[in-house]
Amino acid sequence: MKQISYNEKKRRVGKRSIRAYIYDIGNIIDACHVSYRGKSQRQRQRAEVRKVMDDTFAFATKVRGKIVGGTYKVGDYRHFELKDRKKKRNISVLPYADRCVQNDYKGGIEPVIINQATDDMCAGLPGRGVTSSIDKWCVVRKVQRIMRTDKAVWMWQGDISKFYDSIHNVIVMKELERIVSDKEVLSLMREHVMKQGELAIGDPMSHLLASLVIAPLVRYLKANGATLVNYADDFWCVAETREEMYRIKKLAEEYAVTHLRLHFKPSQVRRIDAAPFRFCGYVFHPNGKVLLCSDTKKKYVRTRHKERSKASYNGMLLCCNSRHLRKKVEINDNNRKNYGKETDTFCRKTA
């Protein structure tokens, strides 16, 4: 089935209400296919996935009846730990049927949440990210453009501690109630959002709801004259003077604590030309050169045979001066039969 673009979702929601979008059987079927595309070949063979995908129309009809009748109940989460870059992340995954329903909700609420975001937010929203083709929403291009301005003298990098684990669902619902007036839609969203005490890493709506929570902080800093780039829980801000930079830092930390119940990790203000800095998997040098971080290089080498990882990292390579890394790895693979051990050694040399 053809993938629905964001503009198409916006057109559908614009003509009708969010509730009508969620109740539409065609949209529920589309949500099933969106969930299916996010699964690996092995996951697609599971019984719960096949049960839904064998007859999506029957599933959509049954689910719609429960949603309209107010009898739909969210299933239990499955919890496990994932180690990523020496960090342990608690992942919570819903049953496949509930993920399909949540993707349906996401399609209806997405255009409304995007209206709350600013151009300085480069994560969690469609068309934005590290490898975005649109310059104003591409992290690398945006940082490089700011570094060339006269304001880029002093910098501050803020990182919110345990971002997803610290986002309380009461605050998420408070933000949703501010932008959505339909009580039926809020009731449906509350059923999913309040299932856990904090925002679940692994839900289709997690990134979208996290962007909704962080948007007021970004707008507040912009209203106070800050020049910044936001990527989820990471903030990169610049200013002409040290005093101005400390002022922005203090405003951000105070607003996060008092309004969002979030805390920034300890960080320092420094001159931007003092040394290279890391941001979103890249190393930005004062002379304008951008390279991949060593951890990102190692992860690229380890996962280069997976199609989904390959497409993502190839996009990252196009945005920096490490674009020849892919060619080096391919030559290394072709010249060595026992590439497992040799590639690890090669990776350490190139990192």
Side-chain angles (χ1 to χ4, degrees):
M1 181 173 287
K2 185 178 178 181
Q3 186 174 0
I4 301 176
S5 64
Y6 163 69
N7 290 331
E8 175 65 16
K9 289 181 183 178
K10 188 175 181 180
R11 184 185 65 80
R12 292 186 185 183
V13 176
K15 287 188 174 182
R16 298 178 296 175
S17 66
I18 300 174
R19 190 198 309 184
Y21 181 98
I22 293 174
Y23 286 175
D24 190 280
I25 291 181
N27 293 332
I28 299 175
I29 294 174
D30 292 338
C32 294
H33 289 277
V34 170
S35 301
Y36 188 74
R37 282 194 294 270
K39 296 293 183 182
S40 64
Q41 291 297 331
R42 183 179 179 180
Q43 291 172 333
R44 291 176 180 179
Q45 303 305 316
R46 292 178 178 174
E48 62 171 351
V49 178
R50 295 201 304 269
K51 183 179 179 181
V52 173
M53 300 308 298
D54 285 347
D55 193 347
T56 54
F57 181 79
F59 169 78
T61 305
K62 182 179 178 180
V63 167
R64 183 187 181 278
K66 290 182 178 180
I67 294 175
V68 175
T71 59
Y72 172 74
K73 298 296 180 183
V74 183
D76 295 329
Y77 278 93
R78 178 171 58 89
H79 305 279
F80 61 92
E81 278 191 351
L82 180 66
K83 191 173 182 181
D84 180 28
R85 294 184 182 179
K86 300 179 181 179
K87 296 181 182 179
K88 288 185 178 180
R89 303 182 185 275
N90 297 318
I91 309 298
S92 303
V93 181
L94 281 170
Y96 182 74
D98 295 297
R99 289 181 66 84
C100 295
V101 175
Q102 200 171 108
N103 270 314
D104 180 40
Y105 293 177
K106 178 183 176 181
I109 204 74
E110 190 176 68
V112 183
I113 293 179
I114 288 175
N115 290 336
Q116 303 299 311
T118 69
D119 288 340
D120 306 284
M121 301 172 63
C122 299
L125 302 171
R128 309 189 186 197
V130 176
T131 60
S132 174
S133 58
I134 305 174
D135 281 354
K136 69 176 181 178
W137 292 334
C138 177
V139 173
V140 178
R141 302 287 180 258
K142 198 172 186 67
V143 172
Q144 286 180 318
R145 188 162 57 251
I146 293 175
M147 288 178 67
R148 290 193 292 266
T149 63
D150 295 334
K151 290 186 178 181
V153 180
W154 291 86
M155 61 168 281
W156 167 66
Q157 280 186 267
D159 184 10
I160 297 176
S161 177
K162 298 181 179 180
F163 183 49
Y164 282 94
D165 295 336
S166 300
I167 296 179
H168 203 281
N169 287 341
V170 173
I171 296 178
V172 176
M173 284 309 306
K174 183 180 179 181
E175 289 297 321
L176 285 172
E177 290 169 358
R178 185 175 57 82
I179 63 174
V180 178
S181 58
D182 194 324
K183 293 183 178 180
E184 291 293 330
V185 175
L186 289 173
S187 178
L188 295 173
M189 295 295 295
R190 188 177 289 106
E191 179 73 19
H192 273 272
V193 172
M194 301 304 292
K195 185 70 176 178
Q196 293 199 128
E198 66 278 343
L199 201 60
I201 304 178
D203 275 355
M205 289 194 300
S206 293
H207 297 296
L208 197 63
L209 295 177
S211 298
L212 176 64
V213 171
I214 211 71
L217 173 57
V218 178
R219 291 198 302 270
Y220 175 74
L221 294 178
K222 289 292 292 182
N224 283 274
T227 301
L228 61 92
V229 177
N230 165 249
Y231 190 85
D233 59 333
D234 295 321
F235 286 78
W236 180 75
C237 305
V238 298
E240 290 187 63
T241 63
R242 184 178 181 181
E243 292 74 18
E244 176 67 11
M245 196 72 269
Y246 272 109
R247 185 184 71 86
I248 297 298
K249 178 178 181 289
K250 184 178 179 180
L251 290 174
E253 292 174 344
E254 289 179 350
Y255 188 94
V257 172
T258 56
H259 293 82
L260 306 178
R261 302 185 193 175
L262 300 174
H263 298 269
F264 280 94
K265 296 178 182 177
S267 55
Q268 294 181 344
V269 171
R270 69 173 181 87
R271 287 189 63 90
I272 199 170
D273 56 356
F277 62 92
R278 294 188 175 194
F279 188 63
C280 294
Y282 292 95
V283 179
F284 292 86
H285 291 258
N287 61 2
K289 181 181 283 189
V290 182
L291 301 174
L292 282 179
C293 292
S294 59
D295 292 342
T296 310
K297 288 183 181 180
K298 292 175 183 177
K299 195 170 183 179
Y300 166 72
V301 174
R302 288 197 306 269
T303 61
R304 68 194 182 283
H305 298 298
K306 299 179 181 180
E307 290 299 324
R308 293 170 64 183
S309 299
K310 186 177 180 181
S312 176
Y313 282 103
N314 284 345
M316 291 186 70
L317 288 171
L318 293 175
C319 297
C320 64
N321 300 97
S322 302
R323 58 178 64 92
H324 297 299
L325 176 65
R326 178 177 53 189
K327 185 176 181 180
K328 291 179 182 178
V329 172
E330 290 175 355
I331 293 174
N332 182 73
D333 286 345
N334 293 332
N335 293 340
R336 305 178 190 279
K337 294 181 180 180
N338 187 17
Y339 62 84
K341 182 178 179 181
E342 297 294 340
T343 303
D344 289 341
T345 305
F346 169 76
C347 177
R348 287 194 295 269
K349 291 180 179 178
T350 58

